[in-house]
Amino acid sequence: MTYVIIGNGVSSIGAIEGIRRHDQKGKIVVIGAEDAAAYGRPLISYLLAGKIGADRLALRGDDYYTKNGVDLKLGTTVTKVDAAKKTVETDKGETIAYDKLLVATGGIPFVPPIPGVQGADIYSFTTLAHANTLIDLSKSIKRAIVIGGGLIGLKAAESLFDRGVAVTIVELAPRILSAGFDEKAGKLAANRLKNVGIEVNCGVTAKEIQRDKNGRVKGVLLTDGRFLESDVVVVAIGVVPHSAIAKEAGIKVERGIIVDAKLMTSAKDVYAAGDVAQAIDQLSGEHRVVPIWPNAYNQGYGAGRNMAGAKLPYAGGLPMNSISFYGLPTISVGVVNPPEGDTTYEVHALLNEEKETYRKLVFRDGRLVGYVLVGDIDKAGMYTAFIKFEMQLDGKAKDKLINAGPEVFLWPAELFDEKWNPEMSKAAR
Amino acid sequence: MKRVYPNKDFCIGCHICELACLTAHSKSKDLILAYTVERNEEGLSSCKHVHEGGPTCVALSCRHCDEPSCVAACISGALQKDPESGRTIYDREKCVGCWSCLMACPFGAIARHPLENKIVKCDLCHDRPGGPACVAACPNMALKQEERS
Ligand SMILES: Cc1cc2nc3c(=O)[nH]c(=O)nc-3n(C[C@H](O)[C@H](O)[C@H](O)COP(=O)(O)OP(=O)(O)OC[C@H]3O[C@@H](n4cnc5c(N)ncnc54)[C@H](O)[C@@H]3O)c2cc1C
Ligand code: SF4
Ligand code: SF4
């Protein structure tokens, strides 16, 4: 049995661990375009900020690939997948045959067609190479504009600022982190950034990136008519699935590569996982691209197990994000912005501006389906339990959850025993 | 693997397991010093927490899950599954304090360190000769370490 994995990010690590759960012998080949062994992609912001050194980036130990019997081909790009012949071709001229293939190619930065966006002084922030480029650059530039107030944009802004660069964030939506936050949480976070000296502009975007006669960036003209001077522009709007090789192989792709309950694509023995995949979402049951780290690992792991013959369905992803703003921790999980006017949802929000704390709980049909915590995050996991295990709450339990917070005694007794004291539940039956 | 299983029918909420955990993870290995000095000065804290719901109590800590949500969520590789022992292991040096694991673990088994950007999580007292200190200390056999599948 030969397993081939395209991409060497966290879904690939998940896949190696999933495969090895069931098959200690099969050959695993990992082909990664980047030069480094799998690293914590989110850590590039810690690196750029100067909080950690390059020696702390690797996700697993030095002997990880050898120990797991992985043939690792770094700095190598797969140029073609032939799902009929069951081979992949690389830019090094190799043709590699597979029995099971995983496409874990991640995302690529989305760059919108803003006039002036092509050319010098425009940067992305999604790879170690990008971080190293920005570290060098930060020594010579004074001002940067970051387009995008989502996770990646905010992280880029914060870490460039920590390198002594004056930073302005430009975000089209009315608040930062519009996907995972509501207005109140967005405001608390934005205030933290503003207080340290990062400029945050919401509800506007770049109309044109203006350049001097040498083609160098002068600044950005905003949709509200203002012109902001800048030496460079970091475009950090998000990532789009890196699905080209799958598409060219005739594999079904919508927004991302479509996968079934076992994470297999429309081509037999070809699986997909991570930022490139459009996989099932636990709460909605819909197939969605949710480019977050835990989903990438879990999908890789699930795909790996099924590639090794486990026949286990993937439980579905749950949107979740934990991000801190200069010491202000925030967490958001599940559905946090229910569709406006949809009365099947019930929202309980509690804001304390002075203490910089916020808690929002979203219920639907007697279940917790989402929450936001700002400041006081210590009980996050206990809230997550109610969403993940889809616990049905009667009125009293719901009131307790709202008024006293999550508590393990609100769990149904059978669930408690199953998770905490498994043999007991069998005996009780 | 041998895990620690809590029994809420036996737990009397005495918190002795928490103190045993504190002592086992202290430098001094002395209960009084651990509680009065190390807890205040170094933020030493217990991995075990007694939960109370009316008359019922139970002492919980990391379950060392077979397929842990915390490992999937950890962006730095600080949390990993040890294939040999089955434990969910934590490398403090690698941790960046992002709280992703704290959010992802549905068992509330991860706490923030009170003073540093690090987490506190049960390590099953892996280098303690007598096994987990909490199990040894419980006066009412409400914590058991055993092999169940
Ligand atoms: C700055 C930043 C901060 C982030 N912070 C968080 C966070 O705090 N929490 C969170 O949940 N998520 C975060 N994310 C998102 C998270 O990093 C991704 O969801 C995750 O890395 C996806 O993993 P993946 O394995 O699917 O893809 P990737 O990590 O993108 O890895 C895919 C790999 O495949 C390689 N590849 C692509 N095509 C080919 C090919 N044809 N041949 C060979 N190799 C190829 C790529 O070079 C890449 O190395 C962050 C992302 C960034 C950029
Ligand atoms: S921290 Fe939580 S998710 Fe991780 S192994 Fe322990 S109980 Fe399981
Ligand atoms: S807080 Fe530390 S251990 Fe937890 S997910 Fe972040 S880096 Fe990993």
Side-chain angles (χ1 to χ4, degrees), chain A residues 112-363:
Chain A
I114 306 165
V117 80
Q118 298 300 333
D121 305 325
I122 309 290
Y123 297 92
S124 298
F125 187 53
T126 61
T127 67
L128 177 53
H130 294 152
N132 283 328
T133 305
L134 290 174
I135 289 171
D136 283 342
L137 198 69
S138 66
K139 294 169 192 147
S140 58
I141 59 167
K142 288 205 177 67
R143 277 165 310 202
I145 290 178
V146 173
I147 302 182
L151 177 75
I152 299 175
L154 296 178
K155 283 289 159 195
E158 192 179 310
S159 25
L160 274 174
F161 182 82
D162 288 347
R163 286 266 167 186
V165 178
V167 181
T168 302
I169 298 167
V170 176
E171 165 61 49
L172 180 60
R175 57 176 184 269
I176 57 172
L177 278 176
S178 57
F181 272 8
D182 63 5
E183 202 182 312
K184 291 183 189 119
K187 204 170 142 199
L188 285 179
N191 281 347
R192 250 317 148 102
L193 296 176
K194 285 176 188 163
N195 288 344
V196 298
I198 296 175
E199 212 184 303
V200 183
N201 293 287
C202 291
V204 288
T205 190
K207 194 170 173 189
E208 187 188 349
I209 296 168
Q210 296 190 344
R211 296 173 177 277
D212 65 16
K213 59 180 187 303
N214 300 321
R216 304 300 297 263
V217 163
K218 270 195 320 193
V220 173
L221 183 65
L222 300 182
T223 42
D224 64 2
R226 278 183 298 157
F227 177 77
L228 304 177
E229 276 183 45
S230 184
D231 305 315
V232 301
V233 174
V234 178
V235 181
I237 297 184
V239 294
V240 288
H242 199 167
S243 56
I245 50 166
K247 224 181 242 169
E248 285 155 17
I251 293 167
K252 191 172 170 206
V253 177
E254 276 176 16
R255 253 185 62 69
I257 302 174
I258 300 287
V259 289
D260 66 12
K262 297 203 183 78
L263 297 155
M264 194 164 86
T265 68
S266 63
K268 191 168 178 296
D269 296 330
V270 181
Y271 294 72
D275 284 7
V276 77
Q278 188 170 332
I280 200 155
D281 182 60
Q282 186 198 328
L283 294 177
S284 66
E286 287 163 12
H287 284 72
R288 288 170 56 193
V289 177
V290 182
I292 56 166
W293 185 269
N295 284 5
Y297 180 93
N298 286 329
Q299 287 167 18
Y301 188 84
R305 299 185 73 169
N306 284 314
M307 288 159 74
K311 298 204 173 81
L312 286 164
Y314 168 59
L318 187 59
M320 52 169 77
N321 258 304
S322 168
I323 161 170
S324 295
F325 300 90
Y326 291 100
L328 180 70
T330 73
I331 285 176
S332 85
V333 176
V335 183
V336 296
N337 288 308
E340 216 156 309
D342 187 337
T343 52
T344 59
Y345 290 94
E346 191 184 319
V347 175
H348 292 266
L350 210 70
L351 172 71
N352 186 331
E353 250 167 297
E354 218 164 289
K355 284 196 182 147
E356 287 184 285
T357 62
Y358 181 56
R359 188 196 69 171
K360 178 184 196 176
L361 303 180
V362 181
F363 294 91

Side-chain angles (χ1 to χ4, degrees), chain A residues 43, chain B residues 70 73-79 90-91 94-102 110 117-119:
Chain A
L43 296 186
Chain B
C70 62
C74 179
I75 62 168
S76 73
L79 287 165
Y90 172 59
D91 179 349
K94 285 189 78 65
C95 175
V96 295
C98 70
W99 319 132
S100 298
C101 52
L102 188 150
I110 289 177
N117 271 340
K118 303 284 175 187
I119 62 157

Side-chain angles (χ1 to χ4, degrees), chain B residues 54-67:
Chain B
T56 321
C57 307
V58 68
L60 304 179
S61 56
C62 171
R63 298 165 70 246
H64 295 270
C65 305
D66 207 20
E67 292 174 357

